[in-house]
Amino acid sequence: MQQLIDYIERFVKLSSETINELKELARLETYEKDEYILEAGRHCNKIWFLKSGMVRKYYVHDGKEITVWIHTENETFTSLQSYAQNIFSEEYLQACENTELISISKSDSEKLAQNAQIMTFVNAMMGKEFSNIDKHSKELNQRDARGKYEYLNQIALEIIKRAKLGHIASILGISQETLSRIRKF
Amino acid sequence: MQQLIDYIERFVKLSSETINELKELARLETYEKDEYILEAGRHCNKIWFLKSGMVRKYYVHDGKEITVWIHTENETFTSLQSYAQNIFSEEYLQACENTELISISKSDSEKLAQNAQIMTFVNAMMGKEFSNIDKHSKELNQRDARGKYEYLNQIALEIIKRAKLGHIASILGISQETLSRIRKF
DNA sequence: CTTTTCTTTTGACCTAAATCAAAAAATAAA
DNA sequence: TTTATTTTTTGATTTAGGTCAAAAGAAAAG
């Protein structure tokens, strides 16, 4: 839990009351490798903080799994469209390794929304998340296969080091054979 | 101005006080074809509502203009990274036609932020904008050239009808020759 | 350990789309 | 209008990266 507090305090200093509130609302969840945190067709009503392990976000298009992103330690994530707009998720969230998460449910986070410190954090986090997606989509849409790989290597080394080749290739929108060839120069 | 109010009321019903507040803060801006609304290297401290005309958002990469998106009537837009994080914009906003905008400056919108109705609208708008970028990046990253064109044709017919071929091709990340060939089947 | 299953690499081939170049069409300017 | 400029189309050629198939390596299961 301290890990989550440290993470939030990189955005905003928390009072001890806020910390206590957080501690009451946050839940520890553990998942085995390959277990689902969220499946498509369900409502996503949580935000998660990744304590340890790795989580893959993907959706299915024409029967093929398209990996959107892979999250590693000390990141927050959710299925944003479903969470923000109360619609069914099109995305799956699956543990790629044994994983520990801290979750805050939507109803609970709405209680926290009364708290200005938490709102500052949530806004900063959302702004950052938004900027990231905006940036990634630009970078990945314009570069060639090697350029995409180098970009990912710069901004998300953990993914490159730990994720499966096929999943990385899918994030980049290239075939895994091409990625394999890029890797050995 | 009524046009902006109608637009907002698609998200949230406004009281007459809120409408009056809005009317005081909002400014009408007009731009000639090719004029800049925002240039890279400057801070973006406004949100705009597009009353009439067309605005292209682009950035420069390796000396080439990369068109990110083109906005048409009844859309709101800003240079989000710059606006949200107070950093220099990497994006240009340029009128593609003679254009009328309604602008609200950041300091003014922070006054409006005291107003719960406005906050509901701002959050809904941001959520929608976010969802759009998220969706577009997925769609455009995975499809082939024809698929990308068909996607844009579905979701943004105005762009297809009114924007220059080269700009559309740039949004899709394909060459304008390829787009020209796709168009005549 | 062996065997089975899953993942990555390698090779051969093919296709979508980029590039280069020039003509045609459309728009703007004189 | 005629001329100049910009935009779009068309053709020829090249190439990055996809697909298919099989081998090699690694991990998991027996």
Side-chain angles (χ1 to χ4, degrees):
Chain A
M1 189 62 61
Q2 189 54 44
Q3 204 178 334
L4 171 59
I5 291 163
D6 290 345
Y7 175 78
I8 296 177
E9 291 203 317
R10 294 190 344 219
F11 295 94
V12 60
K13 183 84 188 97
L14 300 177
S15 67
S16 54
E17 299 89 67
T18 304
I19 291 174
N20 289 333
E21 265 189 277
L22 257 178
K23 280 184 176 162
E24 275 186 38
L25 299 175
R27 298 268 168 272
L28 185 67
E29 302 180 3
T30 62
Y31 295 88
E32 308 250 303
K33 184 173 188 308
D34 295 334
E35 231 185 307
Y36 283 97
I37 296 144
L38 177 75
E39 294 189 64
R42 327 210 86 215
H43 285 283
C44 175
N45 54 11
K46 292 180 185 169
I47 294 176
W48 291 273
F49 172 76
L50 209 157
K51 192 162 158 14
S52 72
M54 193 156 75
V55 171
R56 178 170 72 110
K57 177 186 283 187
Y58 73 91
Y59 63 97
V60 175
H61 184 77
D62 291 343
K64 263 180 30 190
E65 290 182 5
I66 311 291
T67 298
V68 177
W69 201 253
I70 291 172
H71 290 281
T72 52
E73 284 82 2
N74 296 306
E75 293 179 10
T76 52
F77 65 90
T78 185
S79 179
L80 198 103
Q81 294 196 48
S82 175
Y83 184 90
Q85 305 191 247
N86 262 313
I87 55 181
F88 292 124
S89 177
E90 292 177 354
E91 297 171 330
Y92 295 81
L93 293 168
Q94 186 182 27
C96 314
E97 301 173 354
N98 294 341
T99 294
E100 291 179 299
L101 305 175
I102 297 170
S103 72
I104 297 177
S105 80
K106 197 170 181 173
S107 50
D108 288 346
S109 69
E110 276 157 7
K111 285 184 212 150
L112 289 176
Q114 308 301 338
N115 183 313
Q117 289 167 353
I118 293 290
M119 282 313 284
T120 304
F121 160 66
V122 168
N123 289 337
M125 195 196 82
M126 289 297 194
K128 191 161 166 281
E129 193 79 2
F130 192 101
S131 290
N132 281 345
I133 289 188
D134 189 46
K135 184 148 184 285
H136 299 164
S137 70
K138 281 175 188 164
E139 297 288 346
L140 296 180
N141 198 36
Q142 299 293 340
R143 297 173 184 246
D144 65 10
R146 161 157 282 120
K148 290 178 183 185
Y149 180 73
E150 281 165 1
Y151 172 70
L152 196 67
N153 194 55
Q154 265 179 17
I155 63 147
L157 194 57
E158 283 301 304
I159 297 179
I160 298 288
K161 283 197 298 196
R162 288 158 65 190
K164 288 206 286 211
L165 189 87
H167 294 162
I168 298 171
S170 181
I171 291 175
L172 301 177
I174 64 178
S175 73
Q176 72 165 8
E177 293 93 329
T178 296
L179 180 53
S180 175
R181 287 177 179 115
I182 286 169
R183 278 197 155 169
K184 58 149 199 179
F185 310 157
Chain B
M1 190 61 63
Q2 190 55 43
Q3 204 177 335
L4 171 58
I5 292 163
D6 291 344
Y7 174 79
I8 297 177
E9 290 201 319
R10 291 183 355 213
F11 295 94
V12 59
K13 183 83 188 99
L14 299 177
S15 67
S16 56
E17 298 89 67
T18 303
I19 290 174
N20 288 332
E21 266 189 276
L22 256 179
K23 280 183 176 164
E24 275 187 38
L25 299 175
R27 298 269 168 273
L28 186 67
E29 301 180 2
T30 63
Y31 296 88
E32 309 251 304
K33 184 173 186 311
D34 297 333
E35 230 184 307
Y36 283 98
I37 296 143
L38 176 75
E39 293 189 63
R42 326 210 86 214
H43 285 283
C44 175
N45 55 10
K46 291 181 187 171
I47 294 177
W48 290 273
F49 172 77
L50 209 157
K51 192 162 159 8
S52 72
M54 194 157 73
V55 172
R56 178 170 73 109
K57 178 187 283 187
Y58 73 91
Y59 63 97
V60 176
H61 183 78
D62 291 343
K64 263 180 31 188
E65 290 183 5
I66 311 289
T67 299
V68 176
W69 202 252
I70 291 171
H71 290 280
T72 52
E73 283 83 1
N74 296 306
E75 293 178 9
T76 51
F77 66 89
T78 185
S79 180
L80 198 104
Q81 295 195 47
S82 175
Y83 184 89
Q85 306 189 246
N86 263 313
I87 56 181
F88 291 125
S89 177
E90 293 177 354
E91 297 171 329
Y92 295 81
L93 292 168
Q94 187 182 28
C96 314
E97 302 173 352
N98 295 340
T99 294
E100 291 179 299
L101 304 176
I102 297 170
S103 72
I104 297 176
S105 80
K106 196 169 182 174
S107 50
D108 288 346
S109 69
E110 277 157 6
K111 285 183 210 148
L112 288 177
Q114 308 302 338
N115 184 313
Q117 289 166 354
I118 293 291
M119 281 313 283
T120 303
F121 159 66
V122 168
N123 289 337
M125 196 196 82
M126 289 298 195
K128 190 161 167 285
E129 194 79 3
F130 191 100
S131 290
N132 282 345
I133 289 187
D134 189 45
K135 184 146 183 289
H136 299 163
S137 70
K138 281 176 188 167
E139 297 288 346
L140 297 179
N141 198 37
Q142 297 295 340
R143 296 172 185 245
D144 64 10
R146 161 158 281 120
K148 290 179 184 185
Y149 180 72
E150 282 166 359
Y151 172 70
L152 195 69
N153 195 55
Q154 264 180 18
I155 63 147
L157 195 57
E158 282 302 304
I159 297 178
I160 298 288
K161 284 196 299 195
R162 289 158 65 188
K164 288 206 287 209
L165 189 87
H167 294 163
I168 298 171
S170 181
I171 291 176
L172 301 177
I174 64 179
S175 73
Q176 72 166 9
E177 293 94 328
T178 295
L179 180 54
S180 175
R181 287 177 179 115
I182 286 169
R183 277 197 154 167
K184 58 149 198 178
F185 310 158

